[in-house]
């Protein structure tokens, strides 16, 4: 009977080649992606037998070719050749896996106590399709964990594990029962999921309602899963069927000489969350398996802190495990938790758990030392004397540390989930002179540490054990330095202001004429004129603290003072509340920290420097967040996977530009302002510049420092209050333009931010909603009146079709034509003119005129009569002041609003 191709393929898929070869007693060692061993078909001393687990093929470079010219084959070919049987007999033998093996072969597959010979051999193997499916399931569970709040709440709120980077690092997941809905092909995959133990016989998820923790072997393969039910029930702890295998966070043994062995994964995560990265969990009180012993031996761990639950079962387990570790020449330090507590409850309940746990570790050391002989006590005393020579001094860019008299300087610290890099300088004092050995190393790379330790041993003349201990302690300092730096940054961003500074800031915020004071302060710091523009920019900068900030674009010619105004406004804001860039690349914002831009000002010197980043800026303005999906390497498995990074808003965007034509998508999100470019304004600026070199200028410069400090303190005193506008329904706005839909929101938000600035002059009211207390202030008619004054000018200009510089040029051209027509007594439509005449009358450069006259031609305010390259251009005007668009935006008159408010019985 002929064997079908499908039957042959099924045989190959259901029999893992590496497992079958190992069952014959053939030792295989991992080498890259393949396995190598001594060939069973000829005598050799150097391995030439290669097995590819992905392709499920074997090959021997030392065997002569067979009749078909081959020196290898698949699993069927191997069995046929090894057992000296034909093809059909080999298939019959492989139809079932273990049933086809004899007793000796089955024993070869059983889990045994690790020995140095088999430490490099994977303890468990899945066929490639199973491994791929298991990886995919873990990815799906991880995605569910991120999107579903149940698992997050369990770990953050109930277990107090709040370092969210841990969730991504360990690929933590959540099973909510949606796995079958995601699977595209339900047929064979369901059978495979049953084989793995993901689904039970009734096709229900085995881990339903559990937080999922993937467990890996030493080769980065997922070989087990631990599930913890988020709602306590009879069986809270779940694993995949079969014997316990794999180690959670086994990399700790590779990185540290000291390991904290815990009772559970949740306990280890609690330690990891607190900064103790050198932790490995067991499978419960009786859960030290051969994999634990293998990993501790393989990476030569010197000491283990045993920290089980503070109950009788935990104490018994500690006594039972300690001798097993002692047999491996590992020093054991039992940590005694308070009665009835586990590590997770300890870190949740104790006031200062990190320091308290360190104290428990010290006590564990002392408890062991008191049981040792006098010689050991002497050594301990000597070691303690050396410890007195230790010191730690933190600097701006790193720290200096002295360990038993050995000096090190560490700078340039950078950290990712998989790398911890720093530049380390070992210092040796020789005859009063300093000598150095400097290198940049990755502390999370065993190879990098080993090379550096060897070099330092030669340089300092110390043993490898001594320097290795130094490097481990330096690594701990670096990890703590990163946390301290983050805390210092958060703590120093808003420095404690003095009583005098606070009083000055409060006096400013309580000043009824606060806008006059703002304008006077701008004059003192050297920013003159353009009063409306300065107030608008200041208010927009304040609006960053609100949910819908205003964004501003200053559009004027070169040298008009755009950047000067931008810098003057930013100087009044706290340094930590804005970021300023000269240029942004297309995706630069996508890779910032999630909260790095929340309620901040994003200032860009020139629109031209934004390239493709304008898309991300528009998105974060509208959606208040941006998200990018990218391909990255999994920190545990090394496999490529899709990662996401989200940056939250809201933000206030502050940009300057000389561009005339700006696309509508971008323009509609900004309030446009244009600076006064008149000769009178230029004269005022020149006078202000000359004033800087006088005694009055020196006094203003000194006073400017105090003024800037006052505004920064005032900004920090502004509270996050809600603002309610009781007059909102009575307001009006033009509806002639589609753009009014966005500009109307700018107008309403401008009213809110004016009221927000006056919060210390308003009654703060409170209300309770859904069990939460909300503080708010209300808008007054004076706020609306001021908003109307500002909006009529700036929003009216932004809704016109001409840019402000082009409009100004048109007005100047019209003035020139009317003057000439009066002289010549002709109609303005009969008058023709050239760019040279415009230059001579306006004083504008040829580049500026050519830039802005193009918009006037495109919008048919000016007609070009004739002209081409190399010839004179002649124009006619098609404009009179009577047919220009009104700058009013249709807002209600304040007196009319008062009357409507009376009728509506609104108090003001």
């Amino acid at each position: 009977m002929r064997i079908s191709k499908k039957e042959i393929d099924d045989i190959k898929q259901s029999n893992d080649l590496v497992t079958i070869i190992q069952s014959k007693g053939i030792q295989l060692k991992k080498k890259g992606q393949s396995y190598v061993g001594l060939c069973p078909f000829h005598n050799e001393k150097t391995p030439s037998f290669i097995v590819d687990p992905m392709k499920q093929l074997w090959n021997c470079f030392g065997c002569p070719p067979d009749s078909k010219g081959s020196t290898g084959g698949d699993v069927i070919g191997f069995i046929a050749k090894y057992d000296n049987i034909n093809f059909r007999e080999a298939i019959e033998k492989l139809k079932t896996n273990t049933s086809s093996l004899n007793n000796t072969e089955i024993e070869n597959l059983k889990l045994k106590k690790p020995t140095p010979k088999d430490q490099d051999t994977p303890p468990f193997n899945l066929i490639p399709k199973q491994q791929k499916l298991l990886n995919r399931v873990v990815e799906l569970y991880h995605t569910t964990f991120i999107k579903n709040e149940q698992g997050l709440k369990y770990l953050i709120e109930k277990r107090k594990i709040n370092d969210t980077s841990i969730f991504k690092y360990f690929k933590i997941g959540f099973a909510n029962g949606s796995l079958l809905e995601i699977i595209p092909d339900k047929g064979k995959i369901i059978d495979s999921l049953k084989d793995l133990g993901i689904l039970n016989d009734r096709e229900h998820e085995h881990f339903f309602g559990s937080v999922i923790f993937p467990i890996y072997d030493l080769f980065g393969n997922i070989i087990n899963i631990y599930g913890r039910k988020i709602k306590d029930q009879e069986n809270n702890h779940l694993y995949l069927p079969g014997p316990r295998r794999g180690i959670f966070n086994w990399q700790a043994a590779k990185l540290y000489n000291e390991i904290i062995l815990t009772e559970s994964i949740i306990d280890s995560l609690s330690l990891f969350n607190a900064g103790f990265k050198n932790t490995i969990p067991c499978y419960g009180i009786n859960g030290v398996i051969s994999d634990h012993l293998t990993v501790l031996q393989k990476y030569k761990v010197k000491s283990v802190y045993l920290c089980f639950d503070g109950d009788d079962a935990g104490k018994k387990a500690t006594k039972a495990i300690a001798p097993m570790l002692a047999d491996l020449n590992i020093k054991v330090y039992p940590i005694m938790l308070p009665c009835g507590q586990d590590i997770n409850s300890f870190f949740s309940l104790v006031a200062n758990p990190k320091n308290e746990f360190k104290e428990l570790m010290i006590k564990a050391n002392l408890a062991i030392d008191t049981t040792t002989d006098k010689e050991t006590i002497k050594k301990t005393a000597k070691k303690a004397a050396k410890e007195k020579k230790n010191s730690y001094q933190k600097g701006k860019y790193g720290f200096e540390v002295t360990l038993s008299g050995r000096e090190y300087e560490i700078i340039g610290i950078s950290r990712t989930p998989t790398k911890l890099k720093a530049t380390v300088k070992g210092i040796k004092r020789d005859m009063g002179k300093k000598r150095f050995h400097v290198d940049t190393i990755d502390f999370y790379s065993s190879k990098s540490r080993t090379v550096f330790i060897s070099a330092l041993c030669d340089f300092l003349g110390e043993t490898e054990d001594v320097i290795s201990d130094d490097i481990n302690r330096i690594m701990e300092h670096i990890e703590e330095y990163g946390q301290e730096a983050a805390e210092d940054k958060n703590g120093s961003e808003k420095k404690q202001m003095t009583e005098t500074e606070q009083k000055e800031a409060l006096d400013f915020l309580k000043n009824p004429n606060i806008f006059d004071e703002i304008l006077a302060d701008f004059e003192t710091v050297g920013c003159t004129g353009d009063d409306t523009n300065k107030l608008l920019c200041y208010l927009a900068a304040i609006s960053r603290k609100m949910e819908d900030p205003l964004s501003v674009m200053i559009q004027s010619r070169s040298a008009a003072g755009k950047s000067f105004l931008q810098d003057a406004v930013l100087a009044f804001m706290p340094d930590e509340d804005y970021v300023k860039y000269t240029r942004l690349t297309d995706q630069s914002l996508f890779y910032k920290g999630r909260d790095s831009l929340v309620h901040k000002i994003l200032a860009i010197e020139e629109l031209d420097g934004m390239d493709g980043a304008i898309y991300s800026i528009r998105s974060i303005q509208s959606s208040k967040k941006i998200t990018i999906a990218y391909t990255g390497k999994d920190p545990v498995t090394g496999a490529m996977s899709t990662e996401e990074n989200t940056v939250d808003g809201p933000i206030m965007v502050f940009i300057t530009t000389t561009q005339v034509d700006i696309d509508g998508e971008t323009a509609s999100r900004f309030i446009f302002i244009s600076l006064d470019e008149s000769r009178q304004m230029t004269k005022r600026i020149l006078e202000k510049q000359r004033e800087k070199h006088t005694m009055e200028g020196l006094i203003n410069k000194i006073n400017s420092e105090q003024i800037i400090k006052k505004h920064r303190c005032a900004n920090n005193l502004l509270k996050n209050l809600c603002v309610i506008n009781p007059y909102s329904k009575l307001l009006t706005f033009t509806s002639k333009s589609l753009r009014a839909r966005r500009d109307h929101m700018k107008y309403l938000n401008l009213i809110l931010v004016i009221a927000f600035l006056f919060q210390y002059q308003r009654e703060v009211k409170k209300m309770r909603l859904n069990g939460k207390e909300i503080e708010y202030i209300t808008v007054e008619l004076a706020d609306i009146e001021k908003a109307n004054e500002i909006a009529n000018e700036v929003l009216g200009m932004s809704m016109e079709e001409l840019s402000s510089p082009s409009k100004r040029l048109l007005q100047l051209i019209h003035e020139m034509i009317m003057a000439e027509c009066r002289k010549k007594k002709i109609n303005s439509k009969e008058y023709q003119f050239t760019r040279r005449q415009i230059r001579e009358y306006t004083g504008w450069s040829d580049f500026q005129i050519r830039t802005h006259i193009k918009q006037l031609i495109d919008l048919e305010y000016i007609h070009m009569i004739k002209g081409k390259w190399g010839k004179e251009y002649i124009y006619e005007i098609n404009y009179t002041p009577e047919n220009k668009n009104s700058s009013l935006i249709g807002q209600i008159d304040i007196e009319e609003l008062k009357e409507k408010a009376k009728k509506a019985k609104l108090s003001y």
Side-chain angles (χ1 to χ4, degrees):
M1 185 177 177
R2 186 176 180 182
I3 303 173
S4 66
K5 185 177 184 302
K6 182 180 181 304
E7 187 177 359
I8 294 172
D9 290 340
D10 289 343
I11 291 293
K12 291 179 181 179
Q13 290 177 11
S14 60
N15 287 274
D16 178 54
L17 180 59
V18 173
T19 304
I20 293 296
I21 293 173
Q22 289 177 329
S23 73
K24 302 297 183 182
I26 300 167
Q27 295 293 326
L28 295 177
K29 289 189 177 182
K30 189 83 185 290
K31 188 174 183 180
Q33 297 296 318
S34 302
Y35 291 90
V36 298
L38 297 174
C39 180
F41 305 121
H42 75 278
N43 293 325
E44 62 178 6
K45 294 182 180 180
T46 302
S48 61
F49 187 74
I50 310 296
V51 181
D52 187 331
M54 298 305 293
K55 295 180 181 179
Q56 289 291 293
L57 296 173
W58 62 273
N59 189 55
C60 179
F61 295 102
C63 285
D66 59 18
S67 58
K68 296 180 180 179
S70 173
T71 58
D74 54 22
V75 66
I76 301 172
F78 176 81
I79 289 294
K81 188 169 183 177
Y82 189 88
D83 291 344
N84 195 23
I85 56 179
N86 60 35
F87 181 80
R88 183 179 293 276
E89 290 172 333
I91 287 179
E92 290 298 324
K93 191 168 186 178
L94 289 168
K95 275 188 176 179
T96 57
N97 191 344
T98 56
S99 62
S100 67
L101 306 176
N102 58 42
N103 292 332
T104 304
E105 293 167 344
I106 292 173
E107 284 300 315
N108 286 329
L109 289 175
K110 286 184 178 179
L111 186 66
K112 50 187 178 181
K113 187 174 180 179
T115 63
K117 287 186 178 181
D118 56 26
Q119 282 178 2
D120 292 327
T121 304
F124 175 75
N125 288 288
L126 296 172
I127 64 173
K129 284 192 175 183
Q130 288 177 316
Q131 188 68 67
K132 187 176 180 181
L133 180 59
L134 188 58
N135 293 344
R136 181 61 179 148
V137 168
V138 169
E139 286 287 347
L140 291 172
Y141 280 152
H142 180 60
T143 302
T144 303
F145 176 83
I146 294 170
K147 294 180 178 179
N148 189 301
E149 292 185 354
Q150 294 181 71
L152 281 167
K153 282 185 176 180
Y154 174 76
L155 290 180
I156 294 174
E157 296 178 8
K158 186 172 181 179
R159 294 299 189 165
K160 309 300 181 187
I161 299 169
N162 47 32
D163 182 356
T164 54
S165 65
I166 292 174
F167 308 151
K168 182 179 179 182
Y169 181 77
F170 288 112
K171 271 286 190 297
I172 295 173
F174 180 68
N176 66 345
S178 63
L179 182 64
L180 290 178
E181 298 173 11
I182 303 170
I183 296 171
D185 179 14
K186 304 288 174 65
K188 292 183 179 179
I189 293 182
I190 287 183
D191 292 336
S192 298
L193 290 173
K194 287 181 179 179
D195 293 339
L196 289 171
I198 300 297
L199 299 180
N200 60 26
D201 292 337
R202 291 180 294 174
E203 298 184 3
H204 294 166
E205 289 184 44
H206 177 59
F207 295 105
F208 176 73
S210 303
V211 178
I212 301 301
F213 304 90
I215 301 174
Y216 298 80
D217 64 14
L218 302 190
F219 304 93
N221 302 311
I222 300 173
I223 57 170
N224 206 347
I225 291 177
Y226 166 62
R228 176 58 167 90
K229 294 285 186 181
I230 61 173
K231 295 180 180 178
D232 288 338
Q233 47 192 267
E234 188 175 343
N235 187 10
N236 291 322
H237 309 279
L238 301 173
Y239 294 92
L240 288 177
R244 302 287 182 259
R245 51 185 179 266
I247 302 295
F248 187 83
N249 195 33
W250 62 265
Q251 299 93 326
K254 188 176 180 181
L255 299 175
Y256 302 96
N257 287 329
E258 291 183 343
I259 293 297
I260 305 172
L261 205 60
T262 70
E263 190 170 315
S264 71
I265 287 178
I266 296 291
D267 287 343
S268 278
L269 284 182
S270 300
L271 287 171
F272 205 95
N273 184 70
F276 298 92
K277 314 296 184 184
N278 57 328
T279 174
I280 291 176
C282 299
Y283 289 91
I285 55 175
N286 299 314
V288 172
I289 62 173
S290 62
D291 288 6
H292 286 99
L293 306 180
T294 297
V295 77
L296 295 175
Q297 272 188 302
K298 181 180 177 71
Y299 295 110
K300 299 177 181 178
V301 172
K302 293 182 179 178
S303 56
V304 168
Y305 288 86
L306 276 177
C307 190
F308 282 16
D309 295 355
D311 54 16
D312 291 339
K315 293 173 183 176
K316 287 179 182 178
T318 301
K319 290 180 180 179
I321 294 169
M324 296 169 59
L325 299 176
D327 288 344
L328 301 178
N329 294 320
I330 295 174
K331 198 162 188 178
V332 182
Y333 299 100
I335 295 177
M336 305 307 295
L337 291 174
C339 184
Q341 287 190 4
D342 58 20
I343 293 176
N344 181 253
S345 61
F346 178 85
F347 276 88
S348 300
L349 300 174
V350 176
N352 192 352
K354 189 172 181 179
N355 289 339
E356 289 290 331
F357 192 78
K358 285 182 178 179
E359 287 294 323
L360 291 177
M361 294 179 71
I362 293 171
K363 288 179 181 178
N365 272 282
L366 293 174
I368 293 296
D369 288 342
T370 56
T371 63
T372 56
D373 54 26
K374 292 182 179 181
E375 187 62 33
T376 304
I377 293 173
K378 286 182 180 180
K379 288 181 180 179
T380 304
K382 189 176 180 182
K383 183 179 179 182
K386 283 186 177 181
E387 291 292 328
K388 290 183 179 179
K389 298 181 181 179
N390 295 352
S391 66
Y392 172 83
Q393 181 67 41
K394 188 169 73 170
K396 186 175 181 180
Y397 302 106
F399 60 88
E400 298 177 6
V401 63
T402 302
L403 301 172
S404 301
R406 294 178 295 280
E407 300 175 59
Y408 302 95
E409 290 181 12
I410 293 86
I411 59 172
I413 298 168
S414 64
R415 184 175 183 178
T416 67
T418 57
K419 293 183 179 180
L420 181 64
K421 288 189 175 182
T423 299
V424 182
K425 180 194 289 184
I427 303 171
K428 181 179 180 181
R429 299 184 182 274
D430 188 8
M431 302 295 289
K433 294 182 179 180
K434 280 187 177 182
R435 294 177 58 200
F436 308 105
H437 177 81
V438 186
D439 202 351
T440 299
I441 67 170
D442 180 2
F443 281 84
Y444 286 174
S445 167
S446 177
K447 183 178 179 181
S448 182
R449 292 197 316 275
T450 301
V451 171
F452 186 64
I453 288 170
S454 176
L456 277 181
C457 288
D458 294 339
F459 176 70
L460 297 175
E462 294 284 356
T463 64
E464 185 177 334
D465 287 346
V466 170
I467 301 301
S468 181
D469 286 340
D470 284 0
I471 294 301
N472 284 330
R473 295 180 69 176
I474 289 171
M475 180 162 60
E476 291 173 2
H477 280 303
I478 292 174
E479 290 177 331
E480 290 176 0
Y481 178 86
Q483 294 175 352
E484 290 170 3
E487 291 167 3
D488 289 347
K489 184 179 179 182
N490 293 332
S492 64
E493 281 180 350
K494 293 187 179 179
K495 296 177 181 177
Q496 194 71 27
M497 63 185 77
T498 64
E499 289 185 10
T500 303
E501 291 170 346
Q502 187 173 15
K503 184 179 181 303
E504 288 181 359
L506 285 172
D507 288 344
F508 165 72
L509 292 171
K510 293 177 180 178
N511 182 2
N513 300 314
I514 191 171
F515 291 119
D516 293 337
E517 186 172 349
I518 291 170
L519 292 175
D521 289 343
F522 270 115
E523 287 289 333
T524 303
V525 300
C527 188
T528 189
D530 284 304
D531 288 352
T532 302
N533 290 336
K534 288 186 291 191
L535 285 180
L536 186 277
C537 291
Y538 189 93
L539 288 168
I542 293 293
S543 75
R544 76 189 183 279
K545 291 176 169 286
M546 307 179 74
E547 287 305 310
D548 293 294
L550 300 169
S551 292
V552 175
M553 188 176 293
I554 307 176
Q555 186 184 43
S556 281
R557 293 188 291 158
S558 180
K562 302 181 299 298
S563 297
F564 186 76
L565 174 57
Q566 186 187 57
D567 290 341
V569 173
L570 293 177
F572 284 170
M573 305 297 128
D575 289 337
E576 66 273 8
D577 282 1
Y578 70 87
V579 288
K580 185 176 181 182
Y581 297 114
T582 304
R583 182 176 180 272
L584 284 174
T585 56
D586 292 10
Q587 295 185 329
S588 52
L589 291 183
F590 286 105
Y591 295 99
K592 292 188 71 65
R594 178 152 197 161
D595 298 326
S596 61
L597 295 178
V598 175
H599 294 300
K600 292 191 178 180
I601 301 169
L602 175 62
I604 297 138
E605 289 186 12
E606 174 55 53
L607 185 63
D608 289 336
M610 292 173 63
D611 295 332
I614 192 65
Y615 172 77
S616 54
I617 288 177
R618 291 202 305 255
S619 297
I620 200 170
Q621 282 178 290
S622 299
S623 305
K624 295 185 175 60
K625 71 174 183 178
I626 50 175
T627 302
I628 188 172
Y630 60 95
T631 304
K633 184 176 285 189
D634 188 284
V636 178
T637 65
M640 302 303 289
S641 60
T642 300
E643 307 285 349
E644 286 186 1
N645 195 58
T646 298
V647 182
D648 289 328
I651 64 169
M652 180 268 177
V653 185
F654 199 2
I655 304 176
T656 68
T657 184
T658 57
Q659 289 184 22
V660 177
D661 296 319
I662 298 169
D663 70 276
E665 278 290 313
T666 301
S668 64
R669 288 170 169 81
F670 289 86
I671 296 177
F672 280 80
I673 63 172
S674 181
L675 303 184
D676 185 351
E677 299 177 4
S678 66
R679 291 177 183 176
Q680 293 81 2
M681 188 65 220
T682 302
K683 185 178 179 181
R684 284 183 64 181
I685 292 172
L686 296 179
E687 288 173 355
K688 200 70 177 176
Q689 290 173 348
R690 290 192 288 268
E691 184 187 271
K692 286 184 178 181
H693 295 267
T694 65
M695 178 59 70
E696 186 179 357
L698 178 60
I699 293 171
N700 284 341
K701 183 179 180 181
I702 295 170
N703 288 336
S704 293
E705 296 178 5
Q706 194 64 29
I707 287 171
I708 289 171
K709 189 177 292 184
K710 174 187 73 178
H711 282 275
R712 291 179 174 180
C713 290
N715 267 264
N716 286 333
L717 289 175
L718 289 172
K719 302 173 185 175
N720 293 324
L721 300 175
C722 296
V723 184
I724 305 298
N725 186 355
Y727 307 98
S728 184
K729 292 184 178 180
L730 303 178
L731 300 176
T732 59
F733 199 82
T734 182
S735 57
K736 293 179 181 179
S737 168
L738 187 64
R739 179 168 170 171
R741 298 180 183 184
R742 277 187 172 159
D743 283 351
H744 182 233
M745 285 302 301
K746 296 171 192 171
Y747 168 59
L748 295 176
N749 289 330
L750 178 61
I751 296 171
L752 297 185
V753 72
I754 291 172
F756 183 80
L757 183 61
F758 279 90
Q759 63 179 252
Y760 280 89
Q761 301 177 46
R762 306 286 164 83
E763 178 189 357
V764 178
K765 302 175 183 179
K766 297 180 180 180
M767 70 173 183
R768 291 195 70 82
L769 185 64
N770 298 328
K772 184 179 180 182
E773 188 174 75
I774 299 173
E775 294 184 326
Y776 68 96
I777 58 174
T778 56
V779 169
E780 296 184 358
L781 287 172
D783 304 330
I784 298 174
E785 187 174 13
K786 189 65 180 180
N788 286 353
E789 178 188 327
I790 296 172
N792 193 52
E793 183 174 338
V794 296
L795 288 179
M797 183 193 78
S798 69
M799 293 184 70
E800 292 185 346
E801 56 188 359
L802 282 177
S803 67
S804 184
S806 297
K807 180 182 174 183
R808 178 59 182 159
L809 179 61
L810 180 61
Q811 291 170 343
L812 291 172
I813 292 172
H814 184 262
E815 287 177 11
M816 177 190 74
I817 291 172
M818 295 309 295
E820 290 296 316
C821 287
R822 282 193 293 270
K823 285 182 185 179
K824 297 180 179 181
K825 298 181 180 180
I826 60 174
N827 189 290
S828 61
K829 293 184 178 179
E830 299 174 7
Y831 185 81
Q832 297 180 349
F833 56 94
T834 65
R835 287 206 304 263
R836 180 176 179 178
Q837 289 174 287
I838 300 173
R839 288 199 306 273
E840 291 173 350
Y841 182 83
T842 63
W844 287 28
S845 69
D846 184 59
F847 172 77
Q848 292 169 333
I849 292 170
R850 281 190 286 108
T851 299
H852 296 288
I853 207 169
K854 183 179 182 300
Q855 190 180 31
L856 298 178
I857 294 170
D858 290 342
L859 296 176
E860 299 180 349
Y861 286 95
I862 287 177
H863 293 303
M864 188 173 67
I865 304 302
K866 61 179 180 179
K868 61 181 180 179
W869 188 83
K871 299 289 184 180
E872 187 177 51
Y873 286 83
I874 299 176
Y875 306 92
E876 282 183 349
I877 195 168
N878 183 32
Y879 164 82
T880 56
E882 289 75 22
N883 62 24
K884 68 179 181 178
N885 293 329
S886 172
S887 63
L888 296 175
I889 58 174
Q891 70 268 49
I892 190 171
D893 179 74
I894 197 68
E895 294 302 325
E896 183 183 349
L897 180 60
K898 287 180 181 179
E899 291 299 321
K900 285 188 174 183
K902 280 183 180 179
K903 291 179 182 179
K905 297 182 180 180
L906 294 173
S907 61
Y908 59 87

